Amino acid sequence: MTSGILRGSLFSLILTLALFAQNNWQTEFEKSGFVATSTYSQTDEYFSRLANVTNFAQYSTIGVSPQGRDIKLLVVSKDKAFTPAEAAKSGKPVLLIINGIHSGEIEGKDATMMFLREMLVDGKHTELLENVIFLIVPIFSVDGHERASSYNRINQDGPLNMGWRTTARNLNLNRDWTKADAPEMRSMLKMVSSWQPDFVLDNHTTNGADYQYTVTYGLERFGNMAPNIAKLVEKSFLPFLIENVESAGWLMSPYVGFKNDKVEQGLLEWASVPRFSNGYMASRNRICLLVETHMMKPYKERVFATKKVVETAAKYLVLSGKMVIEENRKADNNIKQYLGKDGKWLR
Ligand SMILES: [Zn+2]
């Protein structure tokens, strides 16, 4: 009888500790019932803890914003390949995930926090950890993120405390990839140039139109993308992405505009110019998946849909990473015919 009581107490103690450990890793998004998002300092603290709980991650600063906030980068690598040279030597694909370039559109941050916890704390997603090197920017537009209000994006269904579209100097970072006026962008470009990621995700939320799709996407596959990579997108990545995300319950569609702003006149797709992330990466011969979740869907749905996109892109790199690296290399080599011996463009 006594040992039965002891066993029972021990069991409930273990259960309590397990629940405590679980709660301890809950994000602000989860604690709030999926309606709020973490502040800059809560996010920073969470990423620091993630980096401290494993040997496979390194958390560093890639630049400082005009208001003095650090722009952070988490590198996750099973081989501890924490530098571009080590990553290149490993032969594994490098996936860059940018969250909060428009910081009111912040699903990617909450999605990657849960994804990373599952991978680094709970021991899930082992094949992704094994085969992919992750570069994750938790929040890119850090000052805009802290100019938080419930009214910053008035038609958007959450989070409760959403950030502002532009930086503290009123620059739109996703129009700044080529002119690089913002110090934040100059830090990003330096990091991208040194790491040369093989594949990029840029997480956003749409700005208005209503439709049934939870996730829309921008993917360069017209004349502004190297033909071999455009083919890879069209024939290989896009079908894989749509099949996996839709089978998880999230309808997908290309991110389109309306002809003359009138839906009855038809839909428009376009080639993105390099001032946008996807156009800029295309000019560097890299696929950048622009993720645009539908602003009128509840925040909870948008975060979990974004998480599925992140996991699917990483899974694609597990299965096809070697091919992606090879096609990237081919496209890079193809450029060389247009360069003179001095490395400058031939005229
Ligand atoms: Zn955006």
Side-chain angles (χ1 to χ4, degrees):
M1 187 72 182
T2 316
S3 70
I5 291 167
L6 269 177
R7 263 205 306 275
S9 314
L10 195 63
F11 178 73
S12 52
L13 178 69
I14 290 168
L15 196 69
T16 311
L17 285 174
L19 278 173
F20 176 75
Q22 201 179 28
N23 288 337
N24 210 17
W25 280 103
Q26 273 206 321
T27 62
E28 295 302 313
F29 165 69
E30 293 165 297
K31 284 185 213 163
S32 71
F34 311 105
V35 293
T37 190
S38 50
T39 62
Y40 173 88
S41 58
Q42 287 166 337
T43 308
D44 190 40
E45 195 256 348
Y46 197 90
F47 272 82
S48 299
R49 283 173 59 211
L50 283 168
N52 288 334
V53 81
T54 174
N55 292 323
F56 306 138
Q58 194 175 76
Y59 192 43
S60 63
T61 299
I62 58 167
V64 180
S65 73
Q67 291 185 338
R69 293 184 181 91
D70 287 345
I71 302 162
K72 294 297 193 73
L73 176 74
L74 186 80
V75 182
V76 179
S77 163
K78 185 75 191 292
D79 310 311
K80 299 180 200 165
F82 297 132
T83 65
E86 287 165 343
K89 213 189 301 170
S90 78
K92 293 181 182 176
V94 177
L95 170 61
L96 168 63
I97 302 174
I98 302 168
N99 300 315
I101 188 170
H102 293 146
S103 59
E105 310 168 16
I106 203 66
E107 293 87 325
K109 177 191 69 183
D110 289 305
T112 47
M113 283 162 87
M114 293 189 294
F115 166 69
L116 288 166
R117 177 190 64 211
E118 288 173 3
M119 187 163 70
L120 300 174
V121 182
D122 303 340
K124 293 180 185 166
H125 308 300
T126 46
E127 59 169 2
L128 306 186
L129 179 63
E130 195 67 51
N131 294 291
V132 179
I133 295 172
F134 294 86
L135 307 180
I136 296 170
V137 177
I139 307 166
F140 182 17
S141 186
V142 286
D143 295 343
H145 187 273
E146 293 306 277
R147 188 182 166 180
S149 160
S150 301
Y151 309 107
N152 280 349
R153 291 171 58 78
I154 202 70
N155 295 320
Q156 185 171 293
D157 191 354
L160 290 175
N161 44 339
M162 61 191 77
W164 189 248
R165 184 172 179 79
T166 56
T167 68
R169 289 184 181 166
N170 205 26
L171 289 166
N172 182 338
L173 289 178
N174 205 29
R175 306 292 183 271
D176 201 36
W177 285 91
T178 40
K179 66 183 170 58
D181 280 340
E184 293 95 326
M185 182 51 79
R186 291 197 287 274
S187 305
M188 172 66 79
L189 290 170
K190 210 167 154 190
M191 188 274 285
V192 166
S193 296
S194 83
W195 276 92
Q196 307 214 27
D198 299 294
F199 202 106
V200 181
L201 293 190
D202 185 22
N203 290 318
H204 291 252
T205 319
T206 61
N207 286 339
D210 193 15
Y211 36 67
Q212 64 271 47
Y213 307 99
T214 308
V215 187
T216 60
Y217 57 84
L219 268 173
E220 297 316 298
R221 53 197 195 282
F222 303 120
N224 61 333
M225 177 52 105
N228 64 315
I229 300 178
K231 194 171 157 195
L232 186 74
V233 168
E234 198 77 60
K235 305 273 182 215
S236 171
F237 175 63
L238 194 50
F240 183 84
L241 175 76
I242 294 172
E243 190 191 325
N244 278 274
V245 176
E246 290 204 335
S247 65
W250 311 111
L251 274 185
M252 292 194 84
S253 152
Y255 183 46
V256 294
F258 302 140
K259 205 171 170 189
N260 299 321
D261 280 335
K262 293 192 175 80
V263 66
E264 59 275 22
Q265 291 191 14
L267 302 178
L268 284 179
E269 270 203 274
W270 60 89
S272 175
V273 291
R275 68 189 185 127
F276 297 93
S277 57
N278 42 335
Y280 175 76
M281 293 300 168
S283 74
R284 296 188 69 128
N285 297 327
R286 295 297 180 270
I287 299 169
C288 173
L289 172 64
L290 180 82
V291 184
E292 293 274 358
T293 61
H294 180 203
M295 77 181 318
M296 295 182 190
K297 299 283 185 282
Y299 189 57
K300 179 181 180 181
E301 290 183 21
R302 284 157 33 214
V303 171
F304 282 102
T306 302
K307 182 166 175 281
K308 187 65 194 177
V309 172
V310 168
E311 291 166 8
T312 302
K315 191 168 174 205
Y316 178 74
L317 291 178
V318 172
L319 301 171
S320 307
K322 293 269 182 292
M323 183 167 68
V324 171
I325 291 172
E326 184 57 29
E327 295 300 330
N328 287 347
R329 192 175 297 139
K330 267 191 222 165
D332 289 349
N333 285 335
N334 191 41
I335 297 288
K336 287 178 186 161
Q337 65 180 301
Y338 303 105
L339 301 176
K341 284 194 180 127
D342 57 359
K344 290 188 178 157
W345 294 108
L346 292 172
R347 288 171 192 272

